[in-house]
Amino acid sequence: MKLLTLPRSVLLSFLLACASHVHAEESLYAQIGGEPKLRATVDKLVEIMLKDERINFTFAETDLAKFKGLLYDQICELTGGPCKYLGRDMIESHKKLNTTNEQFNALAEDLYKAFDEVG
């Protein structure tokens, strides 16, 4: 095998370069600031959406502490963080809500606002 004829130092250097490249790429979770920024963003999102008359009625009977925890876990997992989302899937969670595209878009806009405000 030709690979074995390479000097060990060259092979080791190559492997170290590959390994450092893998570790150099941060997850989106890390890029957005990890737990502190994501928790602050979820808190800000809830604050914004409760003032948003397009959707606030949807959350009138929601356990907001539970909602925040599940939302944090979901976004954390989706962005490559250490969390595991254990809530219901989105179809099941929203089945009874009859959410319109306008309501979904309003929540997405509010999430963008929250990320912008938190930085």
Side-chain angles (χ1 to χ4, degrees):
M1 289 183 70
K2 295 209 183 242
L3 186 60
L4 295 177
T5 62
L6 288 175
R8 288 184 184 176
S9 61
V10 172
L11 183 57
L12 181 60
S13 296
F14 174 76
L15 292 174
L16 287 173
C18 290
S20 66
H21 177 68
V22 169
H23 292 291
E25 293 181 21
E26 285 188 310
S27 67
L28 180 55
Y29 177 80
Q31 290 176 39
I32 62 175
E35 183 175 357
K37 285 283 188 168
L38 186 53
R39 287 210 185 272
T41 300
V42 169
D43 287 344
K44 180 57 75 173
L45 170 62
V46 171
E47 181 183 314
I48 292 169
M49 70 184 203
L50 291 176
K51 294 176 184 175
D52 188 340
E53 293 180 5
R54 300 173 296 173
I55 59 172
N56 60 4
F57 59 90
T58 306
F59 300 94
E61 297 180 25
T62 300
D63 177 343
L64 292 178
K66 181 179 178 182
F67 175 78
K68 285 180 182 182
L70 288 170
L71 185 59
Y72 172 83
D73 287 345
Q74 185 181 38
I75 297 173
C76 174
E77 181 178 354
L78 289 170
T79 58
C83 310
K84 180 72 177 153
Y85 173 71
L86 300 174
R88 295 176 293 169
D89 66 61
M90 293 301 95
I91 293 172
E92 182 66 28
S93 294
H94 298 95
K95 188 187 312 184
K96 296 177 185 176
L97 296 178
N98 297 317
T99 304
T100 66
N101 284 338
E102 291 79 15
Q103 291 167 330
F104 178 84
N105 291 341
L107 183 64
E109 288 172 21
D110 291 349
L111 181 59
Y112 280 110
K113 287 178 190 174
F115 271 115
D116 283 344
E117 288 188 30
V118 171

